[in-house]
């Protein structure tokens, strides 16, 4: 089972992430842990001593009540491996520390399905994502089916993409497509020949075969990031290497309503 940390707040994004995680558990057995970070108003913070510890305990207790109420409301069909953990402080620092020290295999959190690419880039370019000790799954939507896509562009390393994504999905019963995108200002999305994808498609397909995975479809598509993102909405998740710059891959993932598994 994959040791998994799901970070939640009391909001719609986390509600969707909880339900998505319960669905994912049917295909990928998860040992699930829940975390939440309480970020208190700076004016409320106390610097030192037992007074600070008392204040932190009070803030954490409020956070635990919030998360326990949310879990009772959602009542997800996925058992928890331990009681929810609540931290007080900076979100990225607290989650990063927990991921490293807990030796997690996977991190999951909900993300607004926003049409603004800058909002998505701000999330995945944060220190939490860039320095992550495990793959990161961003849940944008509750897409329920059995299909996953491996996203290839000219900047993607097929070996990293397959090896790291199969560490998460290798024992699953999902089916897999390989989708290679070439950006072009077409009026509509165009299907090219597989040869137009160069060595990416056959290399990715061969690497998947070594993991015992066959490929349902291998496609080379040409269009805009918006068209590409819209095409990917039919998948329960899209696996990609983590974009570290504003790139074609980042634009496509930002414009897609599909959930994204990012590896590096």
């Amino acid at each position: 089972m994959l040791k998994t940390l799901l970070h939640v707040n009391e909001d719609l994004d986390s509600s969707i992430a909880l339900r998505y995680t319960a669905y994912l558990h049917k295909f990928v057995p998860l040992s699930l842990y829940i975390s939440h970070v309480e970020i208190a108003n700076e004016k409320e913070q106390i610097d030192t001593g037992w007074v600070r510890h008392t204040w932190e305990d009070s803030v954490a207790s409020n956070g635990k009540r919030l998360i326990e109420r949310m879990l009772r409301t959602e009542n997800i069909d996925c058992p928890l491996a331990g009681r929810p953990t609540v931290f007080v402080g900076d979100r990225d620092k607290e989650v990063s520390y927990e991921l490293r020290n807990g030796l997690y295999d996977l991190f999951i959190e909900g993300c607004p399905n926003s049409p603004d690419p800058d909002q998505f880039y701000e999330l995945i370019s944060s220190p939490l994502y860039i320095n992550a000790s495990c793959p990161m799954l961003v849940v944008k939507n509750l897409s329920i089916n059995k299909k996953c896509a491996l996203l290839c562009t000219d900047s993607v390393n097929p070996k990293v993409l397959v090896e790291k994504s199969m560490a998460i999905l290798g024992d699953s019963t999902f089916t897999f497509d390989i989708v290679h995108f070439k950006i072009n200002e077409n009026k509509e999305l165009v299907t090219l020949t597989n040869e137009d994808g160069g060595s990416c498609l056959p290399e990715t397909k061969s690497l998947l075969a070594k993991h015992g995975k066959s490929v349902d479809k291998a496609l080379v598509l040409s269009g805009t990031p918006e068209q590409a993102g819209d095409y990917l909405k039919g998948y329960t998740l899209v696996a990609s290497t983590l974009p570290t710059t504003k790139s074609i891959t980042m634009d496509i993932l930002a414009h897609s309503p599909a959930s994204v598994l990012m590896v590096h």
Side-chain angles (χ1 to χ4, degrees):
M1 300 181 79
L2 295 174
K3 187 175 182 182
T4 302
L5 182 66
L6 171 61
H7 182 74
V8 299
N9 298 306
E10 195 176 31
D11 56 25
L12 178 60
D13 298 328
S14 294
S15 175
I16 292 172
L18 275 164
R19 284 177 275 163
Y20 180 94
T21 301
Y23 179 75
L24 183 66
H25 178 62
K26 297 178 181 179
F27 299 90
V28 184
L30 306 175
S31 177
L32 183 61
Y33 295 80
I34 302 286
S35 77
H36 168 71
V37 177
E38 279 288 303
I39 305 172
N41 189 311
E42 289 185 6
K43 294 181 180 178
E44 299 175 353
Q45 295 187 28
I46 302 166
D47 291 334
T48 59
W50 68 269
V51 177
R52 178 176 178 85
H53 290 302
T54 302
W55 168 79
E56 285 185 346
D57 288 344
S58 174
V59 174
S61 294
N62 289 334
K64 286 180 180 178
R65 285 194 292 271
L66 178 153
I67 297 307
E68 287 171 355
R69 180 173 66 239
M70 183 179 186
L71 291 174
R72 285 195 302 271
T73 301
E74 296 298 336
N75 192 27
I76 61 170
D77 186 19
C78 181
L80 301 185
R83 292 180 62 82
T85 305
V86 176
F87 305 98
V88 179
D90 178 80
R91 187 194 96 103
D92 283 7
K93 288 181 180 179
E94 296 296 337
V95 174
S96 294
Y97 182 84
E98 176 65 12
L99 286 175
R100 287 194 307 271
N101 286 273
L103 301 176
Y104 290 91
D105 301 305
L106 177 65
F107 174 76
I108 304 176
E109 72 171 332
C111 170
N113 185 18
S114 169
D116 181 5
D118 288 340
Q119 185 175 351
F120 181 76
Y121 179 70
E122 183 179 357
L123 174 70
I124 66 171
S125 63
S126 66
L128 171 59
Y129 277 73
I130 292 175
N131 300 316
S133 56
C134 64
M136 314 287 273
L137 175 56
V138 174
V139 178
K140 294 187 178 186
N141 215 331
L142 190 59
S143 178
I144 297 177
N145 58 57
K146 299 180 180 180
K147 298 191 301 178
C148 296
L150 273 68
L151 176 62
C152 295
T153 61
D154 292 336
S155 62
V156 168
N157 182 324
K159 184 174 176 61
V160 173
L161 175 62
V162 174
E163 295 295 329
K164 294 299 180 67
S165 62
M166 286 304 105
I168 303 301
L169 303 173
D171 292 332
S172 75
T173 54
F174 286 123
T175 59
F176 296 93
D177 290 351
I178 305 171
V179 184
H180 184 97
F181 276 109
K182 288 184 171 294
I183 297 302
N184 204 335
E185 292 298 324
N186 300 324
K187 291 184 179 179
E188 59 184 27
L189 202 61
V190 176
T191 302
L192 306 178
T193 67
N194 281 10
E195 286 73 20
D196 289 319
S199 63
C200 180
L201 288 183
E203 184 177 356
T204 304
K205 191 172 183 178
S206 175
L207 289 165
L208 282 171
K210 292 180 181 179
H211 287 271
K213 300 296 180 183
S214 59
V215 175
D216 279 6
K217 290 190 296 185
L219 302 170
V220 179
L221 302 176
S222 176
T224 65
E226 292 86 352
Q227 292 166 340
D230 186 63
Y231 177 86
L232 293 171
K233 69 183 179 183
Y235 293 97
T236 196
L237 68 80
V238 176
S240 170
T241 53
L242 175 69
T244 55
T245 60
K246 291 187 176 181
S247 60
I248 291 173
T249 303
M250 194 284 297
D251 276 349
I252 292 172
L253 297 178
H255 283 102
S256 177
S259 298
V260 183
L261 175 67
M262 284 172 287
V263 300
H264 61 101

